[in-house]
């Protein structure tokens, strides 16, 4: 079947036929139980995403030329709902939702050809290197430097709170190529090989006992100029694209996932006879309202990306809604379970393998990661509500 005839066949398919086809594929091709061994889990996840790409079920919003499905808006919604329903593994690292839209928009043809499809298949795990010990919310204050020598940059500095840094193969980073006082006007966007000489990665243990985050150190790391996205000292507009898509990328998937999680929490409350308590019912009703609002806002964000190419400030609204929701939901779940809610997953007495306590511990950082809640509120105030610009913040 040619590409044209295949497209005509897909166009003739109804949304419900598409849903049924996708659901059947996910059921027939399920990767099976999640391995416990960390190394096996990485390999298992990579194999699943390669299966999605190879069968044409990956990248719902991506252009077809890079391995995506290029779905219309309604089918992107269906896709995210069915992926969440099937409980299959999500992508490793943070590349798909953050650097991929940046490469698609700003990358050269060679860069797109070299990086996009392997990223979608999971052949390479990508990790964001933005934050530094002295530059988190105030990202333009970053100090990691890149000095150009011929056709290479020599990078020195440190990044921190890098999600999936321990298992990453590639870093997309921000470096200072301008003067120390140049702030956002002297920032460049570089892609750095995790295995290049001079790169050191150290895991950071989190509250739940894992090592989701890492810190990385660059000691005279040489990076080819061809691995720069965009122009030198003009990385800040790319950062804004990356951050906007980071906040919007998983919006629909998160909405579908939390729809399922809330339903499972309601079922648990019923099983334990707790829904007779009017206070429990009141809180569950509040969560039901909020999870629907999260979905509606996710639809608005995706619609904005499709029509304007950027998620805009509504991505900050989504980020605020989701982080507050997931913190409140898990805090309520632990409270509702009483003493059972604080039993660790290693115990045979743990309720549902301690998933609610695990979620409670992990979501304590939700209002910090991907831009603090304070930064999101500033964005909403200035760009959505059109309030005066905060003079305490760095100049735009």
């Amino acid at each position: 079947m040619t590409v044209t005839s295949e497209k005509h066949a897909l166009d003739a398919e109804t949304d419900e036929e598409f849903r049924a086809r996708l659901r059947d594929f996910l059921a027939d091709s399920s990767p099976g139980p999640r391995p416990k061994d960390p190394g096996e889990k990485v390999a298992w996840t990579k194999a699943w995403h390669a299966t999605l790409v190879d069968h044409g079920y990956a990248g719902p919003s991506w252009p077809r030329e890079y391995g995506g499905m290029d779905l219309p808006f309604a089918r992107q919604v269906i896709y995210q709902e069915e992926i969440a329903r099937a409980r299959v593994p999500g992508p490793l690292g943070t590349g798909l939702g953050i650097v991929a839209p940046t490469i698609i928009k700003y990358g050269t043809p060679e860069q797109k050809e070299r990086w996009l499809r392997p990223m979608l298949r999971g052949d390479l795990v990508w990790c964001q290197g933005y934050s530094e010990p002295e530059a988190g919310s105030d990202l333009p204050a970053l100090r990691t430097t890149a000095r150009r020598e011929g056709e290479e940059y020599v990078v020195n500095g440190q990044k921190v709170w890098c999600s999936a840094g321990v298992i990453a193969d590639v870093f997309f980073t921000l470096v200072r190529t301008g003067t120390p006082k140049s702030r956002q006007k002297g920032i460049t966007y570089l892609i750095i090989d995790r295995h290049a000489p001079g790169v050191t990665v150290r895991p950071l243990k989190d509250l739940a006992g894992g090592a989701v985050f890492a810190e990385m150190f660059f000691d005279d790391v040489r990076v080819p100029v061809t691995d720069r996205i965009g122009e030198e000292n003009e990385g800040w507009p790319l950062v804004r694209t990356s951050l906007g898509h980071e906040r919007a990328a998983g919006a629909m998937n998160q909405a579908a996932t939390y729809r399922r999680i809330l339903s499972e929490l309601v079922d648990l409350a019923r099983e334990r006879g707790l829904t007779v308590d009017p206070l429990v019912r009141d809180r569950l009703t509040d969560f039901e309202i909020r999870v629907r609002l999260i979905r509606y806002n996710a639809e608005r964000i995706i619609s904005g990306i499709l029509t304007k190419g950027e998620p805009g400030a509504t991505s900050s609204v989504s980020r605020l809604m989701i982080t507050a929701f997931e913190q409140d939901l898990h805090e309520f779940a632990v409270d509702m379970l009483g003493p059972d809610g604080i039993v660790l997953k290693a115990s045979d007495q743990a309720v549902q393998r301690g998933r609610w306590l695990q979620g409670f511990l992990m979501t304590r950082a939700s209002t910090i990661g991907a831009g603090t809640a304070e930064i999101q509120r500033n964005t909403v105030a200035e760009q959505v509500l059109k309030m005066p610009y905060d003079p305490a913040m760095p100049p735009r």
Side-chain angles (χ1 to χ4, degrees):
M1 182 181 290
T2 66
V3 173
T4 301
S5 60
E6 180 184 5
K7 186 176 188 305
H8 287 162
L10 293 175
D11 288 343
E13 185 180 46
T14 68
D15 287 349
E16 287 312 306
E17 287 172 340
F18 169 72
R19 184 189 295 275
R21 175 166 63 86
L22 176 60
R23 184 175 292 186
D24 288 345
F25 169 79
L26 293 173
D28 295 341
S29 305
S30 172
R34 185 186 306 269
K36 293 183 179 180
D37 178 78
E40 293 179 2
K41 181 180 175 182
V42 169
W44 171 78
T45 304
K46 285 185 173 185
W48 168 245
H49 286 277
T51 297
L52 288 177
V53 173
D54 295 345
H55 289 80
Y57 286 101
S61 64
W62 279 42
R64 286 179 175 272
E65 61 188 299
Y66 306 128
M69 302 174 72
D70 198 17
L71 294 177
F73 173 66
R75 295 194 183 179
Q76 289 186 42
V77 174
I78 292 171
Y79 181 93
Q80 297 297 354
E81 289 175 340
E82 292 303 316
I83 286 289
R85 178 182 179 276
R87 304 185 72 167
V88 291
L92 295 166
T94 52
L96 290 183
I98 310 176
V99 73
T102 305
I103 294 173
I104 289 172
K105 183 172 182 177
Y106 295 102
T108 65
E110 187 276 333
Q111 289 171 338
K112 295 174 184 178
E113 181 68 25
R114 179 155 56 111
W115 288 325
L116 289 175
R117 189 177 182 87
M119 185 192 307
L120 192 60
R121 291 186 85 256
D123 295 336
L124 297 175
V125 178
W126 289 63
C127 167
Q128 175 179 291
Y130 285 5
S131 296
E132 298 181 3
E134 301 299 326
S137 297
D138 183 14
L139 199 52
L142 65 88
R143 299 179 181 179
T144 296
T145 61
R147 183 184 73 259
R148 184 162 178 172
E149 292 185 357
E151 293 304 307
E152 292 181 320
Y153 288 102
V154 181
V155 180
N156 285 278
Q158 177 186 359
K159 299 292 181 177
V160 72
W161 306 122
C162 307
S163 301
V166 175
I167 62 171
D169 302 295
V170 186
F171 301 138
F172 52 102
T173 60
L174 303 177
V175 296
R176 182 157 305 287
T177 45
T179 66
K181 296 183 180 180
S182 59
R183 293 188 64 79
Q184 66 264 40
K185 295 181 180 179
I187 290 176
T188 297
Y189 204 115
L190 287 186
I191 308 301
I192 300 178
D193 182 355
R194 156 70 174 87
H195 306 289
V199 176
T200 302
V201 177
R202 296 176 184 169
L204 295 172
K205 198 167 185 178
D206 57 46
L207 189 63
V212 175
F213 300 103
E215 58 182 345
M216 60 182 77
F217 300 86
F218 305 118
D219 183 14
D220 288 337
V221 178
R222 292 190 169 270
V223 180
V225 172
T226 52
D227 289 355
R228 181 191 68 210
I229 307 296
E231 298 301 319
E232 185 173 302
N233 292 329
E234 296 182 11
W236 188 247
L238 281 68
V239 177
R240 296 179 69 85
T241 294
S242 294
L243 291 177
H245 279 277
E246 177 182 16
R247 294 160 191 159
M252 185 55 69
N253 183 267
Q254 287 175 304
T257 297
Y258 273 112
R259 164 73 279 163
R260 171 179 56 78
I261 290 175
L262 178 57
S263 296
E264 291 169 352
L265 182 61
V266 172
D267 290 342
L268 178 62
R270 287 198 183 103
E271 291 171 7
R272 297 175 71 91
L274 299 174
T275 52
V276 297
D277 186 334
L279 295 179
V280 170
R281 293 201 305 272
D282 182 69
R283 290 300 304 279
L284 292 175
T285 300
D286 174 66
F287 290 133
E288 177 66 29
I289 294 169
R290 291 166 68 181
V291 81
R292 294 189 187 192
L293 289 174
I294 289 171
R295 176 193 166 118
Y296 296 146
N297 196 60
E299 291 179 357
R300 180 172 63 164
I301 290 172
I302 295 177
S303 179
I305 293 174
L306 293 176
T307 56
K308 302 175 184 177
E310 293 291 342
T314 53
S315 65
S316 290
V317 176
S318 177
R319 179 70 185 159
L320 280 170
M321 291 175 64
I322 292 173
T323 54
F325 175 82
E326 61 187 9
Q327 284 185 342
D328 292 346
L329 179 73
H330 286 97
E331 184 174 345
F332 168 75
V334 171
D335 286 346
M336 184 187 76
L337 291 171
D340 290 343
I342 58 174
V343 179
L344 298 173
K345 64 179 180 180
S347 171
D348 293 338
Q349 304 301 313
V351 175
Q352 297 182 347
R353 298 184 62 189
R355 61 177 290 196
W356 303 106
L357 177 59
Q358 179 80 5
F360 169 79
L361 294 173
M362 292 303 296
T363 57
R364 293 304 90 194
S366 295
T367 46
I368 299 174
T372 66
E374 289 78 9
I375 294 296
Q376 309 304 335
R377 292 189 183 100
N378 270 355
T379 300
V380 172
E382 294 164 12
Q383 298 186 30
V384 179
L385 302 178
K386 307 302 181 184
M387 295 176 68
Y389 182 71
D390 183 354
M393 296 301 294
R396 285 175 282 191

